[in-house]
Coordinates of all heavy atoms in Angstrom, one line a residue:
M273 N 12.4 45.1 9.0 CA 13.1 44.4 8.0 C 14.2 43.6 8.7 O 15.3 44.0 8.8 CB 13.7 45.4 7.0 CG 12.6 46.1 6.2 SD 13.2 47.2 5.0 CE 14.5 46.3 4.0
T274 N 13.7 42.5 9.2 CA 14.7 41.6 9.9 C 15.1 40.4 9.0 O 16.2 40.2 8.7 CB 14.1 41.1 11.2 OG1 12.8 40.6 10.9 CG2 14.1 42.2 12.2
S275 N 14.1 39.7 8.6 CA 14.4 38.4 7.8 C 13.7 38.5 6.5 O 12.6 38.9 6.3 CB 14.0 37.2 8.6 OG 12.6 37.2 8.8
K276 N 14.3 38.0 5.5 CA 13.8 37.9 4.1 C 13.0 36.6 4.2 O 13.5 35.5 4.3 CB 14.8 37.8 3.1 CG 15.2 39.3 2.5 CD 15.8 39.1 1.2 CE 17.1 39.9 1.1 NZ 17.8 39.5 -0.1
K277 N 11.7 36.6 3.9 CA 10.9 35.5 3.8 C 10.8 35.1 2.3 O 10.3 35.9 1.5 CB 9.5 35.7 4.4 CG 8.7 34.4 4.6 CD 7.4 34.8 5.2 CE 6.5 33.5 5.2 NZ 5.1 33.8 5.6
P278 N 11.2 33.9 2.0 CA 11.1 33.5 0.6 C 9.7 33.5 0.1 O 8.8 33.1 0.9 CB 11.8 32.1 0.5 CG 12.2 31.8 1.9 CD 11.6 32.8 2.8
L279 N 9.5 33.9 -1.2 CA 8.2 33.8 -1.8 C 7.8 32.4 -1.9 O 8.5 31.6 -2.3 CB 8.3 34.5 -3.2 CG 7.0 34.6 -3.9 CD1 6.0 35.5 -3.2 CD2 7.3 35.1 -5.3
E280 N 6.5 32.1 -1.5 CA 6.1 30.8 -1.7 C 5.2 30.7 -3.0 O 4.3 31.6 -3.2 CB 5.1 30.4 -0.5 CG 6.0 29.9 0.6 CD 5.0 29.1 1.7 OE1 3.9 28.8 1.3 OE2 5.5 29.0 2.8
I281 N 5.6 29.8 -3.8 CA 4.7 29.6 -5.0 C 4.3 28.1 -5.1 O 4.8 27.3 -4.3 CB 5.6 30.0 -6.3 CG1 6.9 29.1 -6.4 CG2 5.9 31.5 -6.2 CD1 7.6 29.4 -7.7
Q282 N 3.6 27.7 -6.2 CA 3.2 26.4 -6.5 C 3.9 25.9 -7.7 O 3.9 26.7 -8.7 CB 1.8 26.3 -6.6 CG 1.0 26.2 -5.2 CD -0.4 26.0 -5.6 OE1 -1.0 26.4 -6.5 NE2 -1.0 25.2 -4.6
C283 N 4.4 24.7 -7.8 CA 4.9 24.2 -8.9 C 3.8 24.1 -10.0 O 2.7 23.6 -9.8 CB 5.4 22.8 -8.7 SG 5.9 21.8 -10.1
P284 N 4.0 24.7 -11.2 CA 2.9 24.7 -12.2 C 2.6 23.2 -12.7 O 1.5 23.1 -13.3 CB 3.5 25.5 -13.3 CG 4.8 26.2 -12.8 CD 5.2 25.3 -11.7
C285 N 3.5 22.3 -12.5 CA 3.2 21.0 -13.0 C 2.5 20.1 -12.0 O 1.4 19.6 -12.3 CB 4.6 20.3 -13.3 SG 4.4 18.8 -14.1
C286 N 2.9 20.1 -10.8 CA 2.3 19.2 -9.8 C 1.7 19.9 -8.7 O 1.1 19.3 -7.7 CB 3.3 18.2 -9.2 SG 4.5 18.9 -8.2
R287 N 1.6 21.2 -8.6 CA 1.0 22.1 -7.6 C 1.5 21.9 -6.3 O 0.9 22.3 -5.3 CB -0.6 21.8 -7.5 CG -1.3 21.8 -8.9 CD -1.2 23.3 -9.4 NE -1.8 23.4 -10.8 CZ -1.7 24.4 -11.5 NH1 -1.1 25.6 -11.0 NH2 -2.1 24.4 -12.7
K288 N 2.7 21.4 -6.2 CA 3.5 21.3 -4.9 C 3.9 22.6 -4.5 O 4.6 23.4 -5.3 CB 4.6 20.3 -5.0 CG 5.3 20.1 -3.8 CD 6.4 19.0 -4.0 CE 7.6 19.1 -3.2 NZ 8.6 18.2 -3.5
P289 N 3.6 23.1 -3.3 CA 4.1 24.3 -2.8 C 5.7 24.2 -2.6 O 6.2 23.4 -2.0 CB 3.4 24.5 -1.4 CG 2.9 23.3 -1.0 CD 2.8 22.4 -2.2
I290 N 6.4 25.3 -3.1 CA 7.8 25.4 -3.0 C 8.2 26.9 -2.6 O 7.3 27.8 -2.8 CB 8.5 25.0 -4.2 CG1 8.2 25.9 -5.5 CG2 8.2 23.6 -4.6 CD1 9.1 25.7 -6.6
E291 N 9.4 27.0 -2.3 CA 9.9 28.4 -2.1 C 10.6 28.9 -3.2 O 11.3 28.2 -3.9 CB 10.9 28.4 -0.8 CG 10.2 28.1 0.5 CD 11.1 28.1 1.6 OE1 12.4 28.2 1.3 OE2 10.8 27.8 2.7
Y292 N 10.3 30.1 -3.6 CA 11.1 30.8 -4.7 C 12.5 31.2 -4.1 O 12.7 32.3 -3.8 CB 10.3 32.0 -5.2 CG 10.7 32.3 -6.6 CD1 10.1 31.7 -7.7 CD2 11.7 33.3 -6.7 CE1 10.5 32.2 -8.9 CE2 12.2 33.6 -8.0 CZ 11.6 33.1 -9.1 OH 11.9 33.5 -10.4
S293 N 13.3 30.3 -4.1 CA 14.6 30.5 -3.4 C 15.7 29.6 -4.0 O 15.3 28.7 -4.9 CB 14.6 30.3 -1.9 OG 14.5 29.0 -1.6
E294 N 16.9 29.8 -3.6 CA 18.0 28.9 -4.1 C 17.7 27.5 -3.8 O 18.4 26.6 -4.4 CB 19.3 29.4 -3.4 CG 19.7 30.7 -3.9 CD 19.9 30.8 -5.4 OE1 20.5 29.9 -5.9 OE2 19.5 31.8 -6.0
A295 N 16.9 27.2 -2.9 CA 16.5 25.8 -2.5 C 16.0 25.1 -3.7 O 16.0 23.8 -3.8 CB 15.7 25.7 -1.3
Y296 N 15.4 25.8 -4.6 CA 14.8 25.2 -5.7 C 15.3 25.8 -7.0 O 14.7 26.7 -7.7 CB 13.2 25.4 -5.7 CG 12.6 24.7 -4.5 CD1 12.6 25.3 -3.3 CD2 12.1 23.4 -4.6 CE1 12.0 24.7 -2.2 CE2 11.5 22.7 -3.5 CZ 11.5 23.4 -2.4 OH 11.0 22.7 -1.3
P297 N 16.4 25.2 -7.5 CA 17.1 25.8 -8.7 C 16.1 25.7 -10.0 O 16.3 26.4 -10.9 CB 18.3 24.9 -8.9 CG 18.4 24.2 -7.7 CD 17.1 24.0 -7.0
Q298 N 15.2 24.8 -9.9 CA 14.4 24.7 -11.1 C 13.0 25.4 -11.0 O 12.1 25.2 -11.8 CB 13.9 23.1 -11.3 CG 15.2 22.2 -11.2 CD 16.1 22.5 -12.4 OE1 15.6 23.0 -13.5 NE2 17.4 22.2 -12.2
R299 N 13.0 26.4 -10.0 CA 11.8 27.1 -9.9 C 11.4 27.8 -11.2 O 12.3 28.2 -12.0 CB 12.0 28.2 -8.7 CG 13.2 29.1 -9.0 CD 13.5 29.9 -7.7 NE 14.5 30.8 -7.9 CZ 15.8 30.6 -7.9 NH1 16.2 29.4 -7.6 NH2 16.6 31.6 -8.1
P300 N 10.1 28.1 -11.5 CA 9.0 27.8 -10.5 C 8.6 26.4 -10.5 O 7.6 26.1 -9.9 CB 7.9 28.6 -11.2 CG 8.2 28.5 -12.7 CD 9.7 28.6 -12.8
F301 N 9.4 25.4 -11.0 CA 9.1 24.0 -10.9 C 9.7 23.5 -9.7 O 10.7 23.9 -9.2 CB 9.5 23.2 -12.1 CG 8.9 23.8 -13.3 CD1 9.5 24.7 -14.2 CD2 7.6 23.4 -13.7 CE1 8.9 25.1 -15.3 CE2 7.0 23.9 -14.9 CZ 7.6 24.8 -15.6
C302 N 9.1 22.4 -9.1 CA 9.7 21.8 -7.8 C 11.0 21.0 -8.1 O 11.8 20.8 -7.2 CB 8.6 21.0 -7.2 SG 8.2 19.5 -8.0
S303 N 11.1 20.6 -9.4 CA 12.1 19.7 -9.7 C 12.4 19.8 -11.2 O 11.6 20.2 -11.9 CB 11.8 18.3 -9.3 OG 10.8 17.8 -10.0
E304 N 13.6 19.3 -11.7 CA 13.8 19.2 -13.1 C 12.9 18.3 -13.8 O 12.5 18.6 -14.9 CB 15.2 18.8 -13.3 CG 15.7 18.8 -14.8 CD 17.1 18.7 -15.0 OE1 17.8 18.2 -14.1 OE2 17.6 19.0 -16.2
R305 N 12.4 17.3 -13.1 CA 11.4 16.3 -13.7 C 10.2 17.1 -14.1 O 9.7 17.0 -15.2 CB 11.2 15.3 -12.8 CG 10.4 14.2 -13.3 CD 10.5 12.8 -12.6 NE 9.4 11.9 -12.8 CZ 8.4 11.9 -12.1 NH1 8.2 12.5 -11.0 NH2 7.5 11.1 -12.5
C306 N 9.6 17.9 -13.1 CA 8.4 18.6 -13.4 C 8.6 19.6 -14.5 O 7.8 19.9 -15.3 CB 7.9 19.3 -12.1 SG 6.9 18.3 -11.1
K307 N 9.8 20.3 -14.5 CA 10.1 21.3 -15.5 C 10.1 20.6 -17.0 O 9.5 21.1 -17.9 CB 11.5 21.8 -15.3 CG 11.9 22.8 -16.2 CD 13.3 23.3 -15.9 CE 13.8 24.3 -16.9 NZ 15.2 24.7 -16.6
L308 N 10.7 19.4 -17.0 CA 10.7 18.8 -18.3 C 9.3 18.2 -18.8 O 9.0 18.3 -19.9 CB 11.7 17.6 -18.3 CG 13.2 18.0 -18.1 CD1 14.0 16.7 -18.0 CD2 13.6 18.8 -19.4
I309 N 8.6 17.8 -17.8 CA 7.2 17.3 -18.0 C 6.5 18.4 -18.6 O 5.8 18.3 -19.6 CB 6.6 16.7 -16.8 CG1 7.3 15.4 -16.4 CG2 5.1 16.5 -17.0 CD1 6.8 14.8 -15.1
D310 N 6.5 19.6 -17.9 CA 5.7 20.7 -18.3 C 6.1 21.2 -19.7 O 5.3 21.4 -20.5 CB 5.8 21.8 -17.3 CG 4.7 22.8 -17.5 OD1 3.6 22.5 -17.0 OD2 5.0 23.8 -17.9
L311 N 7.3 21.3 -19.9 CA 7.8 21.8 -21.2 C 7.4 20.9 -22.3 O 7.1 21.3 -23.4 CB 9.4 22.1 -21.1 CG 9.8 23.3 -20.3 CD1 11.2 23.4 -20.2 CD2 9.1 24.5 -20.7
G312 N 7.6 19.6 -22.0 CA 7.3 18.6 -23.0 C 5.8 18.5 -23.4 O 5.5 18.5 -24.5
E313 N 5.0 18.7 -22.4 CA 3.5 18.6 -22.6 C 3.1 19.9 -23.5 O 2.4 19.8 -24.3 CB 2.7 18.6 -21.4 CG 2.8 17.2 -20.7 CD 1.9 17.1 -19.5 OE1 1.4 18.1 -19.1 OE2 1.9 16.0 -19.0
W314 N 3.7 21.0 -23.0 CA 3.4 22.2 -23.7 C 3.8 22.2 -25.2 O 3.0 22.4 -26.2 CB 4.2 23.3 -23.1 CG 3.9 24.7 -23.6 CD1 2.8 25.5 -23.4 CD2 4.7 25.3 -24.6 NE1 2.8 26.6 -24.1 CE2 4.0 26.6 -25.0 CE3 5.8 25.1 -25.3 CZ2 4.5 27.5 -25.9 CZ3 6.3 26.0 -26.2 CH2 5.6 27.2 -26.5
A315 N 5.0 21.6 -25.5 CA 5.5 21.5 -26.8 C 4.6 20.5 -27.6 O 4.3 20.8 -28.8 CB 7.0 21.1 -26.9
E316 N 4.3 19.4 -27.0 CA 3.5 18.4 -27.8 C 2.2 19.0 -28.1 O 1.6 18.8 -29.1 CB 3.3 17.2 -26.8 CG 3.1 15.9 -27.5 CD 3.1 14.7 -26.5 OE1 4.2 14.6 -25.9 OE2 2.1 14.1 -26.4
E317 N 1.6 19.6 -27.1 CA 0.2 20.2 -27.3 C 0.3 21.2 -28.5 O -0.5 21.2 -29.4 CB -0.2 20.9 -26.0 CG -1.6 21.4 -26.0 CD -2.6 20.2 -25.8 OE1 -2.1 19.1 -25.5 OE2 -3.8 20.5 -25.8
K318 N 1.3 22.1 -28.4 CA 1.4 23.1 -29.5 C 1.6 22.4 -30.9 O 1.0 22.8 -31.9 CB 2.7 24.0 -29.2 CG 2.8 25.2 -30.1 CD 4.1 25.9 -29.8 CE 4.3 27.0 -30.8 NZ 5.6 27.5 -30.8
H319 N 2.4 21.4 -30.9 CA 2.7 20.6 -32.1 C 1.3 20.0 -32.6 O 1.0 20.1 -33.9 CB 3.7 19.6 -31.9 CG 4.1 18.8 -33.1 ND1 4.9 19.3 -34.1 CD2 3.7 17.6 -33.5 CE1 5.0 18.5 -35.1 NE2 4.3 17.4 -34.7
K320 N 0.6 19.4 -31.7 CA -0.7 18.8 -32.1 C -1.6 19.8 -32.7 O -2.1 19.6 -33.8 CB -1.3 18.2 -30.8 CG -1.9 16.8 -31.1 CD -2.6 16.4 -29.9 CE -1.9 16.3 -28.6 NZ -2.6 16.0 -27.4
I321 N -1.8 21.0 -32.1 CA -2.8 21.9 -32.6 C -2.2 22.5 -33.9 O -3.1 22.6 -34.8 CB -2.8 23.2 -31.5 CG1 -3.5 22.6 -30.3 CG2 -3.5 24.3 -32.1 CD1 -3.5 23.6 -29.1
A322 N -0.9 22.8 -34.0 CA -0.5 23.4 -35.3 C -0.6 22.4 -36.4 O -0.9 22.7 -37.6 CB 1.0 23.7 -35.1
G323 N -0.5 21.0 -36.1 CA -0.5 20.1 -37.1 C -2.0 19.8 -37.6 O -2.3 19.9 -38.7
S324 N -2.7 19.4 -36.5 CA -4.0 18.6 -36.9 C -5.0 19.5 -37.6 O -5.5 19.1 -38.7 CB -4.6 18.2 -35.6 OG -5.1 19.2 -34.8
S325 N -5.3 20.7 -37.2 CA -6.4 21.3 -37.8 C -6.2 21.7 -39.2 O -7.0 21.5 -40.1 CB -6.8 22.6 -37.1 OG -5.7 23.6 -37.2
V326 N -4.9 22.1 -39.6 CA -4.6 22.4 -40.9 C -4.7 21.2 -41.8 O -5.3 21.2 -42.9 CB -3.1 22.9 -41.0 CG1 -2.7 23.1 -42.4 CG2 -3.1 24.3 -40.3
Y327 N -4.1 20.1 -41.4 CA -4.1 18.9 -42.2 C -5.5 18.3 -42.2 O -5.9 17.7 -43.3 CB -3.1 17.9 -41.7 CG -1.7 18.4 -42.0 CD1 -0.7 18.7 -41.0 CD2 -1.3 18.4 -43.4 CE1 0.4 19.2 -41.4 CE2 -0.1 18.8 -43.7 CZ 0.9 19.2 -42.7 OH 2.1 19.6 -43.0
D328 N -6.3 18.4 -41.2 CA -7.7 17.8 -41.3 C -8.4 18.6 -42.4 O -9.1 18.0 -43.2 CB -8.3 18.1 -40.0 CG -7.9 17.0 -39.0 OD1 -7.3 16.0 -39.5 OD2 -8.4 17.0 -37.8
D329 N -8.3 20.0 -42.4 CA -8.9 20.7 -43.5 C -8.5 20.2 -44.9 O -9.3 20.0 -45.8 CB -8.7 22.2 -43.4 CG -9.6 22.8 -42.3 OD1 -10.5 22.1 -41.8 OD2 -9.4 23.9 -42.0
L330 N -7.1 20.1 -45.1 CA -6.6 19.7 -46.4 C -7.0 18.4 -46.8 O -7.2 18.1 -48.0 CB -5.2 19.9 -46.4 CG -4.6 21.4 -46.3 CD1 -3.1 21.4 -46.2 CD2 -5.1 22.1 -47.6
L331 N -7.0 17.5 -45.9 CA -7.1 16.1 -46.2 C -8.6 15.5 -46.2 O -8.9 14.6 -47.0 CB -6.3 15.1 -45.3 CG -4.8 15.3 -45.3 CD1 -4.2 14.4 -44.3 CD2 -4.4 15.0 -46.7
S332 N -9.4 16.3 -45.5 CA -10.8 15.7 -45.4 C -11.5 15.9 -46.8 O -11.9 14.9 -47.4 CB -11.7 16.5 -44.4 OG -11.8 17.8 -44.7
G333 N -11.6 17.0 -47.3 CA -12.0 17.3 -48.7 C -13.4 16.8 -49.1 O -13.7 16.8 -50.2
D334 N -14.2 16.3 -48.1 CA -15.5 15.9 -48.4 C -16.5 17.1 -48.0 O -17.2 16.9 -47.0 CB -15.9 14.5 -47.9 CG -15.3 14.4 -46.5 OD1 -15.3 15.3 -45.8 OD2 -15.1 13.2 -46.2
D335 N -16.4 18.1 -48.8 CA -17.3 19.2 -48.6 C -18.7 18.8 -49.1 O -18.8 18.4 -50.3 CB -16.8 20.4 -49.3 CG -17.7 21.6 -49.0 OD1 -18.8 21.5 -48.5 OD2 -17.3 22.7 -49.4
P336 N -19.8 18.8 -48.3 CA -21.1 18.2 -48.8 C -21.6 19.0 -50.0 O -22.3 18.5 -50.8 CB -22.0 18.4 -47.5 CG -21.2 19.2 -46.5 CD -19.8 19.1 -46.9
S337 N -21.2 20.2 -50.2 CA -21.8 21.0 -51.3 C -21.0 20.6 -52.5 O -21.5 21.0 -53.6 CB -21.5 22.5 -51.0 OG -20.1 22.8 -51.1
G338 N -19.8 20.0 -52.4 CA -19.1 19.6 -53.6 C -18.4 20.7 -54.2 O -17.7 20.6 -55.3
N339 N -18.3 21.9 -53.6 CA -17.7 23.1 -54.1 C -16.4 23.4 -53.3 O -16.0 24.5 -53.4 CB -18.6 24.3 -54.1 CG -19.4 24.4 -55.5 OD1 -18.9 23.8 -56.5 ND2 -20.5 25.0 -55.4
G340 N -15.9 22.5 -52.6 CA -14.8 22.7 -51.6 C -13.6 23.1 -52.4 O -12.9 24.0 -52.0
F341 N -13.3 22.4 -53.5 CA -12.0 22.6 -54.1 C -12.1 23.1 -55.5 O -12.9 22.7 -56.2 CB -11.2 21.3 -54.2 CG -10.7 20.8 -52.8 CD1 -10.5 19.5 -52.6 CD2 -10.4 21.8 -51.9 CE1 -10.0 19.1 -51.3 CE2 -9.8 21.4 -50.6 CZ -9.7 20.0 -50.3
H342 N -11.3 24.1 -55.8 CA -11.2 24.6 -57.2 C -9.8 24.3 -57.8 O -8.8 24.7 -57.2 CB -11.4 26.0 -57.3 CG -12.8 26.4 -56.6 ND1 -14.0 26.3 -57.4 CD2 -13.1 26.9 -55.4 CE1 -14.9 26.7 -56.6 NE2 -14.5 27.1 -55.4
H343 N -9.7 23.6 -58.8 CA -8.5 23.2 -59.4 C -8.2 24.0 -60.6 O -9.0 24.3 -61.4 CB -8.4 21.7 -59.7 CG -8.4 20.9 -58.5 ND1 -7.3 20.8 -57.7 CD2 -9.3 20.1 -58.0 CE1 -7.5 20.0 -56.7 NE2 -8.8 19.6 -56.8
Ligands
ZN19 ZN1 6.3 19.7 -9.4

C-alpha cells in the first residue's frame, strides 16, 4: 500500500477516459459541459416519452373498428 491509484472511468457522455479524483469535479463526467448535455438529453428524452405515447393515443382516435371511444 504505497500509492493510491485513482480509479479510471469513462465520461458517460463522450466516453473520454478520466480519473475519478479531485482533478475532475464533475465526475463521472469529464466536464460540466458533458454533465449538462447528458442531463439535458436525459430529461428531454423522458419528457418526450412521457408526453408522446399518451397524447398519441388520446388524439389519434381513428380506431378501425369504430368502437374506440364510448361517450
Ligand atoms: Zn465528456
Side-chain angles (χ1 to χ4, degrees):
M273 291 182 52
T274 48
S275 65
K276 270 204 230 169
K277 193 179 172 187
L279 181 65
E280 277 195 18
I281 61 173
Q282 281 186 324
C283 171
C285 186
C286 69
R287 306 294 173 191
K288 179 177 154 182
I290 66 169
E291 289 177 1
Y292 198 90
S293 73
E294 294 300 319
Y296 295 88
Q298 307 299 331
R299 60 192 183 276
F301 301 96
C302 70
S303 64
E304 185 166 14
R305 189 160 160 262
C306 275
K307 183 181 173 183
L308 291 177
I309 288 172
D310 195 77
L311 291 177
E313 284 184 359
W314 182 84
E316 205 174 298
E317 189 81 0
K318 190 186 172 196
H319 183 73
K320 224 189 302 174
I321 290 170
S324 71
S325 68
V326 173
Y327 285 113
D328 279 353
D329 277 356
L330 287 176
L331 293 177
S332 63
D334 38 30
D335 184 349
S337 74
N339 271 336
F341 286 153
H342 302 281
H343 289 292

